[in-house]
Each structure stands twice: as structure tokens, then as C-alpha cells.
Amino acid sequence: MAKNHGGITHAPGALPIIGHLLPLLRDPLHFLSTLPAYGDLVQIRLGPQTAVVVCRPELVQQVLLNDRIYDKGGPIIERVGNALGDGIASCPHSAHRRQRRSLQPAFSRTCLREYATIMTGRIDALTTGWSDGQTVEVGAQMYGLASDTIARTLFTAEAAAPAVEAVTASLPDIFRGIYQQAVLPPLLRRLPLPPNVRYERARNRAWAAVSKTISSYRQDGGPHGDVLSMLLKTQDDAGEPLSDAEIHAQIMTLLVAGIDTTAVALTWAVHLLCQYPDVQERLRIETTEVLGTRTATWEDLPRLDLARRVITETLRLYPPGWIFTRTTSAEARLADAVIPPDTTLVYSPYLIHRDPRFNARPDVFDPDRWLPEREHTRGTLIPFGGGARKCLGDNYAMTLATLALSTIVAQWRLSHGGLPIPAVEPRMTLAPHKVQVRVESLESEPLADSIRQ
Ligand code: HEM
């Protein structure tokens, strides 16, 4: 039986000592989706720790918009800080404005336009590497695309090539490690267990590679027209340059925040297009009209409307970042509840996106729900979070995903071809387990009548 304590309901089913740890580890998405039935603010227990899950969009918005009271905190953020240094994604409110101001210019529209050239080059290399009738492991391919593109956006200089390689090879173990370390009790984190050793080794390798690149940029004087060069030139409000440690933390943060999320989004998008061949064909009409069979560029973006809606709908169904935490820095009032200081709050884009009270037919893939003439309730689509801590790379990710998906669909027919449908695997990101897709070249295929119409 759920109990209500001053506006916060306690989720039923907590076991002595471990609380809700079992359902949360076994099937976290199902567990989360049971919570709104108990109230808008539902307390869960993980061993000795408790957390309040926020189950209504407008309350999530209040949390996101008041980042001074609902500050970054909680077990995942602690681990992220430990793995990456106190970069923009994990630093507290008191340090955030300064960090955001130093990074924001690197994600301006003018810069994005430059980065799109790198994106187009990498997408071209990816899709021309496929052959007719081949089965591709989409997750690995999209990871390669996202890691290569983002690493080259951060550091383009030839001297950085070994770092790009070391970092992209180390990141999968770092992602896994951060998540495992966040859910493991502190004692187990320190034991030399194989996953802990793998994580430490990967983190040290990436850490050293980024340090070496910063030193070599400082020595050669640059600039190289990339994010690292920009950070080296940046001065804070007091006119002071950023320290190596600060630059290091930001570069590691951008790599970790940007790569897996974007790769996972693209992987789900390809999977959904296989599951919904009618949407794939409609998208082919659009992309063939705009691109023919060439690779998409920045200038094409305004005409790739459906592609953008497909990505948006993918992010609604499978938001790569599916769970985030905040910690109250002071007593707060949320709905009818008084929340004491140091309370951990959880918000989950997955939970909000799949709640039938806020999104009709929430489990159906329907890109047209994002047509401008359709009505949308504010706060019900939050794949990039919101408020001052909203994703810094949202436009970067949307650009890369739109260009990549459009190019793929214009050149290749995608099908699961009898291969198993992937299961969802919630880790740091909401990744599908192994998406295998058969790709058929459209190059020699005459445009079908259905597409011409
Ligand atoms: C589809 C891809 C992506 C998704 C779904 C995504 C999602 C998110 C979300 C939900 C947050 C807010 C987390 C919170 O509220 O605690 C966030 C923050 C952030 N993201 Fe992304 N992200 C994506 C791609 C990227 C890319 C490509 C970059 C950069 C290269 C990036 C950089 C960041 C940074 C720096 C933050 C921290 C912002 C701050 O605290 O000021 N993300 N992202």
C-alpha cells in the first residue's frame, strides 16, 4: 500500500535493507512507469538512500527552471564528476554560469555550420563503406560516426589523431564504469574487480590522451578552428584564462555527454525505420527530392522536415538520457510538498514521454505528432532536459542525426530482414541491445512510382 507523507507518496514494495533496488536493477523502465499511479511525487528507496521521483511535466519544469535550489547532485553526478573532473555537466550551480559562458560560443550557429562540414565528411565515409546486401551492426556504426565526428569537432589538428583514437576506444568502458560505479555500494567500487579495473584503465588512458593534446596545442600555439582552440583562448569574467584542469574537464565532459547519446539516438532511429517501413518510404521521398543520392549538408537542413520529426519522435520514444538527478540545496516547495534540503530528486524523460496522460498513444512511433499544426503541451518533450542545465549540444546532435539519417535513407533501404528485434538496455543511456540491419543499395534502383507521387 502506498503511503502519503505531506504530498510525497512512498512507493510500495520496498524490501528491508535493499528497498526498491531489485526492480530498479531488473527492469528500471517498467518500475519507473508504475510510479505515477501512486502520485506526482513518489519516494523510492535504494538501500539506505531515498529519492523522490517527479512524475508530472509541470513539476519537472519547476525543478529544471530553478537550478539554484534543485542543484546537480546524486550518485550518478558524483560518479560523473569523479570520472571527468568537475566539468559543466556535473558542477554545482555556483560554478555553472561561468562554465556555460565559456563553452556556449563553441556551440553557436556559426560554429555549427563549420562542424556540419566535418559531419558531412564522416557520414560520407560511413555510408560509402557499406555494400549492397550487407548486414550492419548499427550500434557500432553509429558509435563510430558519433565518436569520430565529435572528437574531430573538439580537436582537428593532425597532432591530436592519437588522442582521438585513444579516447574513442576508451569511452565504452568509461560509460559502463560510470553507471556501474553509481549503482555499486562504495565498498565494492574500490575493490580490484575486473569491471573496476577496466574502468580505471580506460579513464586513465583517455585522461592522459586529452592532457597530452592540451599540452601540444599550448606548445604549437594554434588556433586550429576547433573547440579546444576556442577554450584555450577563452577568458572568464575576470579576464583570466581557463586552467588546464578546467579545459580537460570540459573536453572529457563533451566527449562523454555527446557521443553515446547521439549514437544511441541514431541507432534507435534506424531501428524504428525498419519497424515502420511506411515511414521509411515517406522519408525516402523527402530525402530523394532534396538530396538525390548525395550526402546531406548544412544547406539542406531546412528542407529535411520529416527527417527532423523522425529524430524528435525517436528521442521521445527512446530518450538516450532516461534518468537524471538533482539535490535540493535548501528547503523547497513542490506542488503540496515541502522538500527538505539534501533531498535527491529524480526526473526521467522516459517516464514523462511515455505517460498516456500527456502523450496520446505514447508507445506508437508517429513522427507526425510533431507537425507544427498539432497541439503540444509544454514540458512533455524533454529529451534534452531544460532550464539553465539544458543540453549544450542539442542543436549539434539534431544536426548530426538529421544529416546522417537523411543520407542513409536516400542511399540505402533498411530492414531487419528476419534478424532479431533488439531489447532495450538501460545503462547510462537507453541503448538498444545489438541492432542488426540489412542494407540494400538504392543507387541502381529506379525511383518507385509510389515514391514519385
Ligand atoms: C541526442 C543526443 C543528446 C541527448 C539526448 C542529450 C541529452 C542531454 C540532457 C537530458 C542533458 C541535461 C541533463 C540534466 O538535466 O541533468 C544534457 C546536458 C548536456 N549535454 Fe547533451 N545530449 C545529447 C547530445 C549532446 C552533444 C552532442 C553534446 C556536445 C557535444 C552534449 C553536451 C551536453 C552538455 C555539455 C550538457 C551539460 C549542460 C549544462 O549542465 O549546462 N550533449 N544532454
Side-chain angles (χ1 to χ4, degrees):
M1 195 49 192
K3 289 188 222 133
N4 194 311
H5 295 258
I8 299 178
T9 319
H10 288 200
L15 294 174
I17 302 176
I18 58 173
H20 298 99
L21 208 55
L22 280 184
L24 200 61
L25 287 176
R26 225 184 265 142
D27 191 349
L29 299 180
H30 172 74
F31 176 64
L32 279 178
S33 62
T34 61
L35 299 179
Y38 305 115
D40 292 342
L41 297 170
V42 182
Q43 190 183 85
I44 58 172
R45 196 156 60 74
L46 311 171
Q49 295 174 339
T50 59
V52 175
V53 182
V54 184
C55 300
R56 277 195 90 80
E58 61 272 28
L59 299 183
V60 171
Q61 287 302 307
Q62 284 182 38
V63 169
L64 292 176
L65 292 175
N66 190 348
D67 62 315
R68 189 176 62 77
I69 297 286
Y70 302 104
D71 204 351
K72 286 273 173 150
I76 291 187
I77 291 298
E78 277 167 27
R79 292 297 97 204
V80 170
N82 172 276
L84 314 177
D86 251 339
I88 182 170
S90 52
C91 70
H93 169 80
S94 52
H96 181 251
R97 295 295 189 271
R98 174 178 185 272
Q99 298 207 12
R100 184 98 188 188
R101 263 200 298 272
S102 66
L103 271 177
Q104 192 86 52
F107 288 85
S108 67
R109 213 179 139 74
T110 318
C111 290
L112 261 188
R113 200 190 172 98
E114 296 291 318
Y115 305 151
T117 315
I118 302 175
M119 295 176 190
T120 298
R122 302 325 302 159
I123 295 165
D124 207 29
L126 175 87
T127 52
T128 50
W130 293 351
S131 52
D132 193 21
Q134 186 191 348
T135 296
V136 294
E137 214 279 80
V138 182
Q141 298 274 315
M142 296 307 149
Y143 182 82
L145 173 66
S147 56
D148 206 23
T149 311
I150 292 173
R152 279 165 203 267
T153 306
L154 299 183
F155 12 78
T156 48
E158 224 14 74
V164 171
E165 203 189 312
V167 164
T168 50
S170 313
L171 282 176
D173 281 335
I174 298 182
F175 293 132
R176 249 189 308 274
I178 292 175
Y179 184 63
Q180 278 163 353
Q181 297 256 322
V183 288
L184 278 182
L187 187 67
L188 288 183
R189 275 180 217 156
R190 288 190 283 273
L191 293 180
L193 304 169
N196 293 349
V197 172
R198 257 198 311 275
Y199 164 65
E200 281 297 328
R201 202 178 290 147
R203 179 183 167 278
N204 293 344
R205 188 174 171 214
W207 196 278
V210 171
S211 293
K212 209 167 154 196
T213 310
I214 295 174
S215 306
S216 84
Y217 267 51
R218 282 225 192 269
Q219 270 161 23
D220 77 20
H224 298 286
D226 51 17
V227 176
L228 178 52
S229 302
M230 259 183 253
L231 287 177
L232 287 165
K233 269 199 322 202
T234 299
Q235 295 185 336
D236 67 12
D237 298 340
E240 294 294 324
L242 305 183
S243 69
D244 276 9
E246 283 175 305
I247 295 177
H248 194 287
Q250 305 307 17
I251 293 286
M252 290 291 288
T253 300
L254 292 173
L255 289 163
V256 168
I259 294 176
D260 208 31
T261 43
T262 311
V264 163
L266 266 166
T267 307
W268 279 121
V270 168
H271 159 68
L272 286 163
L273 290 179
C274 294
Q275 257 197 330
Y276 292 80
D278 53 324
V279 179
Q280 188 183 144
E281 285 310 313
R282 279 180 55 207
L283 183 57
R284 188 157 297 117
I285 296 171
E286 175 181 279
T287 55
T288 312
E289 247 174 49
V290 178
L291 307 174
T293 53
R294 72 177 163 78
T295 305
T297 64
W298 172 264
E299 285 68 31
D300 298 316
L301 285 171
R303 296 179 63 208
L304 296 171
D305 234 23
L306 178 56
R308 201 179 167 83
R309 273 185 280 128
V310 165
I311 306 283
T312 305
E313 179 67 346
T314 303
L315 291 172
R316 184 190 67 79
L317 273 175
Y318 298 109
W322 58 285
I323 189 160
F324 297 97
T325 53
R326 293 291 188 270
T327 302
T328 45
S329 61
E331 186 177 277
R333 186 167 259 288
L334 198 55
D336 295 333
V338 175
I339 320 254
D342 277 331
T343 302
T344 300
L345 292 159
V346 171
Y347 86 89
S348 163
Y350 182 90
L351 177 70
I352 299 295
H353 293 175
R354 296 277 188 141
D355 189 324
R357 293 174 299 172
F358 314 118
N359 276 306
R361 300 176 304 130
D363 298 334
V364 174
F365 176 62
D366 174 15
D368 288 345
R369 70 172 87 225
W370 303 112
L371 282 167
E373 58 270 27
R374 295 266 190 102
E375 241 179 60
H376 307 118
T377 312
R378 191 166 169 268
T380 54
L381 180 71
I382 48 169
F384 295 109
R389 310 299 295 243
K390 186 172 182 219
C391 180
L392 180 66
D394 53 353
N395 290 328
Y396 184 102
M398 287 304 290
T399 303
L400 176 54
T402 308
L403 296 180
L405 199 66
S406 308
T407 305
I408 291 170
V409 170
Q411 299 176 2
W412 301 91
R413 174 162 290 117
L414 310 162
S415 65
H416 284 133
L419 297 163
I421 304 289
V424 186
E425 226 179 54
R427 301 185 312 244
M428 268 277 278
T429 49
L430 193 63
H433 179 70
K434 229 182 181 167
V435 178
Q436 290 186 305
V437 164
R438 192 182 140 81
V439 296
E440 286 168 77
S441 171
L442 292 163
E443 202 133 78
S444 52
E445 198 172 290
L447 211 56
D449 284 347
S450 59
I451 295 180
R452 280 207 198 90
Q453 280 159 17

